[in-house]
Amino acid sequence: VPIAPVAIVFMGAGTFAMIHIAKALRHDPTPADTASNMQLPIGGKALWMGGPALTVLTIGGLLSTCGPVRPPTLRSLQDLNEQFVQLGPILNEHLYQDVSESFGDCKALWEYKVGQGDVSAQSIWQKETCSGTTPLFQKEVTMGTAPRRHRIKTMVLWAKGVNTLEVERVRVQPPLNPLVATQDWHLNASAAFADLHVFMKVFVDDKEWCSGYICC
C-alpha cells in the first residue's frame, strides 16, 4: 500500500476531527446556538480550513517532485530483448488459442473431412476452427505452343494448423551508425509453423493432375 497517500488521507481526517473537537470544547451548545453564531477557535476559517488544505497540497507537491521514485524495469536494450524472450511463450499460447486452426475454403475442407471419414456428415460444423469461404490462392496459366499447349490451373484450397505458428525470437537492434542524422532501429522476428498442412489441387486441361497435402 502506498504510504504517502494513506498518510495524507489520515492527516486530513485527523485535522477535520480536531476542528470538531475544538468546537465542542469551546462551549456547551444550547438550542439557541445556530450555524451562524458558531465560531472557530483562534485563527478562524483561514487557519482551520485553509491550513489543512495548504498542508496537503504542499506535502503532495513535495512527494511528487522529491519523493522516492520506483526504479525502471528496463534500463538497457538488453533488458528489453530479455523481456521479449519472456513474452515469447505467452504470445505463442495466445496464437494457439485465439487464431483459427484453418484458413481458406472451409466448405471444401469440411467435405474433404467427411469424405475421409474424419467426421460424420451429420455432425455439427465447428465454425470457430476454420475461417474463410474461398481458396487461399488460385491461378490459371497457359504453357507451351500449339499443338502442345496446355492450360494449368493451380489452387490452394486451405491451410490447416495455422494456429501452430510459434514465435522463436524477437529482438530489437540499434542503428549500425550512431553518427548519421537518420537513426534506423530494427525489430527482427523469426517464427515457424510447428504443424502446418497446405491442401493443393492442380488441373491440366480441366483434368485433375494432383490433389492432396503438399507440406509441411
Side-chain angles (χ1 to χ4, degrees):
V1 177
I3 298 178
V6 173
I8 293 175
V9 171
F10 274 96
M11 183 189 65
T15 304
F16 189 75
M18 290 177 61
I19 294 176
H20 284 275
I21 294 174
K23 288 181 180 180
L25 293 176
R26 188 174 183 275
H27 69 282
D28 295 332
T30 63
D33 290 332
T34 61
S36 59
N37 57 28
M38 293 290 290
Q39 297 181 358
L40 293 173
I42 298 174
K45 292 184 178 180
L47 175 63
W48 291 94
M49 303 297 279
L54 181 61
T55 303
V56 170
L57 293 176
T58 302
I59 295 178
L62 290 175
L63 289 176
S64 63
T65 56
C66 305
V69 180
R70 179 179 297 179
T73 56
L74 300 178
R75 299 184 178 182
S76 64
L77 185 59
Q78 182 179 357
D79 293 342
L80 177 60
N81 288 327
E82 290 179 356
Q83 289 292 323
F84 281 130
V85 173
Q86 298 178 8
L87 290 175
I90 301 176
L91 177 59
N92 292 333
E93 182 178 355
H94 280 286
L95 288 174
Y96 186 79
Q97 294 179 353
D98 300 336
V99 177
S100 297
E101 178 185 3
S102 304
F103 283 84
D105 192 340
C106 296
K107 182 179 179 181
L109 172 58
W110 177 255
E111 293 175 350
Y112 176 82
K113 286 185 174 182
V114 173
Q116 294 292 315
D118 297 335
V119 294
S120 172
Q122 287 75 29
S123 60
I124 300 176
W125 168 248
Q126 298 181 358
K127 294 182 179 180
E128 66 272 10
T129 62
C130 184
S131 299
T133 57
T134 60
L136 296 176
F137 173 83
Q138 54 183 345
K139 185 176 182 180
E140 184 173 342
V141 297
T142 301
M143 301 182 65
T145 58
R148 296 183 177 180
R149 181 176 298 174
H150 301 282
R151 289 183 295 106
I152 301 177
K153 183 178 181 180
T154 305
M155 300 177 63
V156 178
L157 295 178
W158 65 79
K160 180 181 177 182
V162 180
N163 60 338
T164 63
L165 178 66
E166 295 182 354
V167 178
E168 299 174 344
R169 183 184 183 188
V170 178
R171 188 174 184 83
V172 177
Q173 290 186 343
L176 298 178
N177 187 359
L179 300 179
V180 298
T182 303
Q183 298 292 304
D184 294 329
W185 291 73
H186 298 273
L187 178 64
N188 299 327
S190 59
F193 291 100
D195 189 22
L196 181 67
H197 304 276
V198 179
F199 192 89
M200 183 176 179
K201 283 189 176 183
V202 178
F203 296 87
V204 178
D205 296 332
D206 297 330
K207 294 182 180 181
E208 189 176 284
W209 180 75
C210 175
S211 177
Y213 285 105
I214 60 172
C215 70
C216 294

